[in-house]
Amino acid sequence: MRWPRKSRPRLVDAITLAVAAVAGMVGGAMNALAGGGSFATMPTLIALGLPSPIANATSNVALQPGAITSAWAYRGGLGPLAGMSVRRLCIVTFIGGLVGSLLLVATPSSTFDVIIPWLLLVATIAIAFGPRAADWLRSRTSIGPRTLVTAQVLLGLYGGYFGGGVGMMMTATWGLLSGSAPHQLAAPRTLMLSMANAAATIVFVTLGMVKWVLCVPMLLGAIVGGHFGARLGIVLPPWAIRAWTLAISTITTMVFFYRAYL
């Protein structure tokens, strides 16, 4: 049976929306488990036809509600980090996020396509070796709390510009600078992620960089995925969560290098 000519676009649109929603579910679940949700959402949006900067902006906005709810859930674990108050950390991260998102706006699509594989590689390395490298460095050196301001500005800037793997980078950096264990950093990490994303969201929405027809189903999917991902994280062993996140990030990085350079 042949589909009527007028029905075909509706079928394609329905499939596209469903793909965006499923990617949002996966991304929301990944963020709830260990971070790295943009490894699922942004490549999907690019595959659906969005230019890379628009896909990145849309992905950022779609994952923001999940970041906010996670930060609220972890609020009881908030406290000063390396002598710096949470309020000061939020301000520094928000400013960095604003600058990073404005840099993304100023970056041509062709340039971003060349840069993005390297950003993905940095994020993948952070996921693979960040906590271990932080433990190794912390046992050999000590860095004062003032350095945290500079580091947090750079992390916020990266979070606003791209954001992939920034949660892992924060955990590794803070572990080195403050001497805290990774499980003690879940609360400030989720809050700083939401601050960087909030700054970027303001810029992206104001400047019309969000493709809302794909953002809305992805956003709804991310909320659902974040809820069930958090429940799944209770029963899954840490090594399984980390292995899944690393596998997704590695495959995504390889695909983007192939897309940009081959």
Side-chain angles (χ1 to χ4, degrees):
M1 177 180 177
R2 292 173 61 89
W3 289 101
R5 190 175 184 84
K6 293 184 178 179
S7 298
R8 291 176 185 172
R10 294 179 183 176
L11 179 62
V12 172
D13 288 347
I15 293 174
T16 299
L17 295 176
V19 169
V22 171
M25 290 181 190
V26 175
M30 289 178 67
N31 275 347
L33 290 169
S38 57
F39 281 101
T41 53
M42 192 190 68
T44 300
L45 291 169
I46 292 175
L48 292 176
L50 297 188
S52 299
I54 302 299
N56 191 42
T58 302
S59 170
N60 180 292
V61 175
L63 294 175
Q64 175 63 1
I68 293 174
T69 55
S70 296
W72 178 258
Y74 278 120
R75 66 190 184 281
L78 291 173
L81 187 65
M84 185 183 299
S85 69
V86 172
R87 178 177 297 180
R88 189 178 181 190
L89 272 175
C90 286
I91 294 172
V92 168
T93 306
F94 188 85
I95 293 173
L98 280 177
V99 175
S101 57
L102 290 172
L103 285 175
L104 177 66
V105 173
T107 303
S109 295
S110 57
T111 303
F112 191 69
D113 286 339
V114 175
I115 295 174
I116 193 171
W118 299 99
L119 297 177
L120 289 167
L121 179 61
V122 170
T124 301
I125 292 173
I127 293 171
F129 303 109
R132 189 178 303 173
D135 290 341
W136 185 85
L137 288 171
R138 189 168 61 244
S139 66
R140 290 163 174 79
T141 186
S142 176
I143 301 175
R146 290 183 179 179
T147 309
L148 184 59
V149 175
T150 302
Q152 195 59 30
V153 169
L154 294 175
L155 289 167
L157 191 151
Y158 175 84
Y161 185 83
F162 176 58
V166 69
M168 298 291 181
M169 293 179 183
M170 287 184 182
T171 298
T173 303
W174 294 347
L176 171 62
L177 299 181
S178 69
S180 302
H183 71 274
Q184 297 173 320
L185 300 173
R189 184 192 71 226
T190 53
L191 179 59
M192 295 311 122
L193 284 173
S194 68
M195 293 304 298
N197 286 346
T201 295
I202 292 172
V203 172
F204 297 152
V205 171
T206 301
L207 297 181
M209 292 185 66
V210 180
K211 187 72 171 179
W212 288 107
V213 69
L214 297 178
C215 182
V216 171
M218 183 168 280
L219 184 152
L220 296 175
I223 293 174
V224 174
H227 172 74
F228 288 102
R231 295 173 66 90
L232 191 61
I234 298 174
V235 298
L236 284 179
W239 67 264
I241 296 173
R242 188 165 174 272
W244 164 257
T245 305
L246 184 59
I248 294 295
S249 63
T250 300
I251 293 171
T252 304
T253 301
M254 293 171 63
V255 169
F256 272 83
F257 266 106
Y258 180 86
R259 177 175 175 266
Y261 294 102
L262 296 178

